[in-house]
Amino acid sequence: MAGKEKEIIDLVDSVAITCHAWNGDRTELALCPNSNDVVIYKKSGSRWEEESVLREHGQRVLDMDWSAKSDRLVTCGEDRNAYVWTRQGREWRPMLVLLRINRAATCVRWSPNELKFAVGCGARLISICYFEVEQDWWVSKHIKKPIRSTVTSIDWHPNNYLIAAGSSDFKTRVFSTYVKEIEDKPGPTAWGKKGTFGNMMAEFSNGGGGWVHSVSFSPCGNKLVWVGHDSSISVANAANDCIVTTIKQAHLPMLSCIFVSEHSIVAAGHDCAPYLFNYDDNDKLTAAEKLDVVKTKAAGMSSAMDKFRNLDKKATTESSEAGRQATTHQNSVV
């Protein structure tokens, strides 16, 4: 995992970041500061400067995704709405998406070809959204059965037709999202041959009682990883009869996971640090290392000024470093 040194971007002071998304070349960053606003920052030299604030949602924004090719931002939130934002000059224009749901929209992702996107929600369904040219708006089709609880995470297969969904009914599922109005009929995959819209190609459980926080396909699309609230991480391999490998960790549950290569997975969560996992050709899943290794400073004497400053701010004489996590992130990584 050799690479560039990590860059710490401190943009929002003392406020949780609910969700974030990068543009295609990583020069712009959109985030939600735990509110109904979406703030866009642009990199200028070594600094990040606020460029725009998008205000359209009536309640807190829960997720967003930024398409790399078409440069469109899609957001969804507790107000049961999703918006597709299109840049026009220096302004962003929102277009409401017809989701037809009665619960909060919890997660959203563009498909790889950016012709459609998926929205998971608390109404026990997934909205597959695409642009209807004749009506000039974004419409949706619903995948409902057999989802029995809130959809917490979604991820697209590289072929644009399959989607993985994790939910709080302890299940991870793979569905077909073929929309005949905008795309050609799909061919067979390692996950199955029947590609009609809404067909469930596979269903998995980690064998425990933890709801699923995050799902991710491997770059080739034949493997699927998910993490659960029981501190488990699981991988299914469609190329090997959908065999499932699960390991449970001693640390706190992980909230997000991603395949960074065919054999490497990075996951992070309530432990405030990312972890690296390896998945080999024999379907063996192993925990490799903790990626956030922070050098701790030697304890020293606090100055009189530090003591008076902390007494004024926190009613304590402890050093400002006291009580901090020994990690870069000071709270859960989502």
Side-chain angles (χ1 to χ4, degrees), residues 140-155:
S140 64
K141 289 186 175 184
H142 287 172
I143 298 175
K144 295 181 178 180
K145 296 180 180 180
I147 303 171
R148 297 183 178 180
S149 192
T150 299
V151 178
T152 57
S153 177
I154 50 181
D155 190 47

Side-chain angles (χ1 to χ4, degrees), residues 164-167 169-174 202-205 212 215 224 226:
S167 61
D169 61 1
F170 313 152
K171 301 288 186 181
T172 298
R173 301 177 177 92
V174 178
E203 181 181 68
F204 304 105
S205 171
V212 179
V215 296
L224 177 66
W226 68 93

Side-chain angles (χ1 to χ4, degrees), residues 256-277:
S256 59
C257 61
I258 185 172
F259 265 104
V260 293
S261 71
E262 285 298 328
H263 299 288
S264 300
I265 302 164
V266 173
H270 288 299
D271 252 17
C272 309
Y275 291 83
L276 175 66
F277 296 86

